[in-house]
Amino acid sequence: MVCNKVVKIALICDQIDKDGKDVNYNDIYKLLWDLQKQTREAKNKVIRLCWEWSGYSSEYFKTHEEYPKDKEIFGISLRGYLYDRIKGDYNLYSGNLSQSAEIAYKEYKNSLKDVLRGDKSIINYRENQPLDIKNKAIQLLYENDNFFVRVALINKDKQKELNFKDCSVRFKLLVKDDSTRTILERCFDEVYTITASKIMYNKKKKQWYINLGYKFTKEIDKTLDKDRILGVDLGVINPLVASVYGSYDRLIIGGGEIDKFRKRVEANKVQMLKQGKYCGDGRIGHGVNTRNKPAYNIEDKISRFRDTVNHKYSKAVVDYAVKNNCGTIQMEDLKGITQNKNERYLKNWTYFDLQTKIEYKAKALGIEVKYKNPKYTSQRCSKCGHIAEENRPEQKTFKCVKCGFKVNADYNASQNLAIKDIDKIIEQYYNKG
Ligand SMILES: [Zn+2]
């Protein structure tokens, strides 16, 4: 299975000219701005040409009762014609320009029906267009423990004008964490293959970035069993419990680190309140920005923490599924009851985010993810199927009033979720009365 991914890395200018002199980074940024503008213009021109062709086609149809063939009209394909019409107008490297043209052409085609129906206006690319970079235009370099890229960006004319050695510009990659470094090492060692990428400007950070595309083939040594289901319950006592039906082994993710984090955040809030740095509702301070800043920081921190933790938890779930040869994961469909669920282990915590991450990681490994109506999964005895509110003498315990089966309540719910078509089984149970 091929996995396509993107990693975002900040770029630092590292260009020398033909004579070996350093090129001022301001000149490079100016060049990038200019190329960005040109990319936008080129793409908008492609859209205009496509639109003209559509108009011509429908006129042609009225008189000929058939649509014109691009090769008969232009002598080449429509795509070839589009590229011919734009190639002389810009300083962009030819491979990148043809990629931009291709992207615009595809987006035009995909939107055409909606445009003709009047549901959408015709595409108009705006100022923040990324530079489209063809995979062949990127060369990854590794020198003195640092990674660099040479990216072909300009045509011959521009190269001469700028006195560059060739059509590329060299950047140092600002590698901020180990996972990015690992990705780059694998690209450099050709374990991963670099694919089409983009260079874009981040206004907030005032920084240029490359969204480096890469792909790799993932070997799964065994085919996972589609009928073996991992039931994942987002629980009362524990944030998450997962198990395979009939197995006492289970994956439990405790809420310890989340509780700790919450307490720390709450304590910080109190501290800030005391210092007048944190303003709750209804308090008036000295201007919106100063007033809200510390509060925003807290929100940022929470969301970063949640992101990290949910990545870790979702990975644990998917690893557990693979270890147990499960080709399917079943989770609760949280639509409509999200609010309640969030109360369970951390206010404003999103189980939804956790599920999204599990689904994303599972799919990458070919594991199917199904969502089941969670109604009654916590009250149903996973052993005999009896459903009763009385089966839950207390929050953490499940004890079946019919067969006496007694287990941890979250585990019991995960067992129910590990049953194929559990929703239909519960429906039948009630239909029989
Ligand atoms: Zn029972």
Side-chain angles (χ1 to χ4, degrees):
M1 176 181 40
V2 179
C3 295
N4 278 292
K5 303 210 167 197
V6 173
V7 62
K8 186 175 164 185
I9 311 168
L11 295 171
I12 301 162
C13 287
D14 188 47
Q15 177 76 345
I16 48 170
D17 67 10
K18 215 174 164 184
D19 309 318
K21 273 199 284 191
D22 283 340
V23 177
N24 189 303
Y25 65 87
N26 278 321
D27 293 339
I28 297 295
Y29 292 149
K30 231 180 272 162
L31 174 69
L32 291 174
W33 287 118
D34 187 37
L35 296 177
Q36 190 176 47
K37 191 167 156 252
Q38 291 190 24
T39 303
R40 177 191 174 203
E41 283 171 12
K43 280 171 140 175
N44 280 331
K45 188 167 176 186
V46 168
I47 298 292
R48 260 197 325 275
L49 292 167
C50 286
W51 184 240
E52 278 172 27
W53 171 249
S54 296
Y56 174 80
S57 292
S58 59
E59 285 302 313
Y60 187 98
F61 186 81
K62 279 179 200 158
T63 48
H64 296 75
E65 285 177 350
E66 60 169 3
Y67 286 106
K69 292 186 177 63
D70 48 356
K71 278 184 186 148
E72 281 170 21
I73 308 288
F74 303 126
I76 43 169
S77 70
L78 175 61
R79 280 166 147 121
Y81 166 76
L82 292 172
Y83 182 67
D84 275 357
R85 284 287 304 272
I86 58 170
K87 71 177 176 192
D89 297 351
Y90 307 101
N91 297 128
L92 292 154
Y93 175 70
S94 59
N96 300 342
L97 181 61
S98 74
Q99 181 134 317
S100 294
E102 183 71 17
I103 289 170
Y105 170 73
K106 276 189 184 151
E107 287 179 347
Y108 174 82
K109 249 176 64 179
N110 289 338
S111 71
L112 186 59
K113 261 189 191 162
D114 291 335
V115 172
L116 293 175
R117 222 188 289 125
D119 290 343
K120 248 189 196 169
S121 50
I122 192 157
I123 294 172
N124 179 27
Y125 292 102
R126 292 173 196 277
E127 271 172 6
N128 55 353
Q129 274 314 294
L131 299 178
D132 302 303
I133 313 291
K134 212 168 179 134
N135 61 337
K136 294 257 166 64
I138 302 168
Q139 191 190 2
L140 186 63
L141 308 161
Y142 183 63
E143 292 166 15
N144 302 323
D145 212 29
N146 284 311
F147 282 101
F148 299 81
V149 275
R150 278 178 47 171
V151 188
L153 287 175
I154 48 176
N155 64 5
K156 279 251 165 3
D157 291 346
K158 194 75 188 172
Q159 179 199 329
K160 265 183 212 154
E161 183 194 318
L162 294 169
N163 192 33
F164 284 1
K165 242 187 324 201
D166 51 37
C167 57
S168 70
V169 176
R170 186 179 141 117
F171 301 94
K172 186 180 169 186
L173 295 173
L174 194 64
V175 181
K176 279 200 167 157
D177 54 68
D178 287 344
S179 74
T180 306
R181 172 163 278 271
T182 306
I183 292 164
L184 290 172
E185 280 167 1
R186 289 182 184 167
C187 288
F188 188 74
D189 297 337
E190 291 175 13
V191 178
Y192 294 171
T193 313
I194 290 175
T195 57
S197 303
K198 288 178 193 299
I199 287 180
M200 49 180 64
Y201 185 70
N202 185 317
K203 265 189 187 165
K204 234 176 160 179
K205 296 195 167 152
K206 295 195 168 80
Q207 174 96 45
W208 286 91
Y209 283 88
I210 185 165
N211 277 5
L212 189 73
Y214 62 97
K215 64 175 180 186
F216 54 90
T217 324
K218 200 153 210 165
E219 304 288 344
I220 301 173
D221 1 310
K222 51 180 181 180
T223 344
L224 299 168
D225 184 353
K226 280 264 167 265
D227 292 327
R228 223 172 130 76
I229 302 166
L230 183 70
V232 177
D233 178 63
L234 303 171
V236 184
I237 304 300
N238 299 297
L240 187 149
V241 175
S243 64
V244 183
Y245 190 72
S247 164
Y248 278 99
D249 189 48
R250 68 200 76 170
L251 171 74
I252 299 174
I253 288 171
E257 74 180 305
I258 295 163
D259 277 341
K260 245 197 233 161
F261 180 76
R262 180 181 51 193
K263 280 181 190 137
R264 221 172 60 218
V265 168
E266 290 303 325
N268 275 339
K269 264 190 195 171
V270 171
Q271 205 56 38
M272 286 173 138
L273 269 171
K274 279 182 188 162
Q275 295 167 8
K277 283 183 188 162
Y278 177 80
C279 296
D281 299 330
R283 203 179 143 147
I284 299 159
H286 306 288
V288 176
N289 276 338
T290 38
R291 216 172 39 189
N292 288 338
K293 217 169 181 184
Y296 279 151
N297 283 345
I298 289 178
E299 296 311 314
D300 268 6
K301 249 181 215 161
I302 293 175
S303 99
R304 269 202 306 274
F305 177 75
R306 181 185 67 203
D307 197 57
T308 313
V309 165
N310 282 350
H311 265 301
K312 200 165 82 181
Y313 291 178
S314 56
K315 186 174 184 302
V317 170
V318 173
D319 286 352
Y320 189 81
V322 171
K323 194 180 119 195
N324 285 283
N325 194 26
C326 297
T328 304
I329 288 175
Q330 281 187 175
M331 293 190 280
E332 299 157 87
D333 186 352
L334 295 179
K335 267 179 226 125
I337 55 158
T338 318
Q339 210 45 49
N340 276 334
K341 282 277 176 178
N342 277 340
E343 298 288 338
R344 284 188 181 177
Y345 79 111
L346 179 60
K347 224 178 171 186
N348 299 326
W349 197 268
T350 65
Y351 271 114
F352 182 72
D353 177 64
L354 177 58
Q355 284 194 332
T356 308
K357 287 189 166 73
I358 291 173
E359 183 172 336
Y360 169 77
K361 290 191 167 79
K363 279 186 176 161
L365 291 170
I367 298 171
E368 198 179 343
V369 173
K370 290 179 180 169
Y371 291 97
K372 297 291 164 185
N373 186 341
K375 212 175 174 189
Y376 306 119
T377 48
S378 58
Q379 291 175 15
R380 179 184 187 271
C381 173
S382 60
K383 200 165 189 187
C384 75
H386 181 65
I387 300 174
E389 238 176 274
E390 295 73 36
N391 284 349
R392 296 287 297 280
E394 51 183 13
Q395 260 207 336
K396 65 173 181 185
T397 316
F398 181 92
K399 189 170 185 257
C400 179
V401 291
K402 198 176 173 193
C403 75
F405 182 59
K406 190 184 169 195
V407 277
N408 170 287
D410 294 338
Y411 167 72
N412 180 67
S414 75
Q415 285 285 288
N416 281 322
L417 283 162
I419 297 168
K420 196 177 177 181
D421 297 326
I422 182 63
D423 39 358
K424 281 176 199 152
I425 292 169
I426 289 172
E427 207 175 295
Q428 277 167 10
Y429 175 91
Y430 276 106
N431 285 342
K432 274 179 197 160

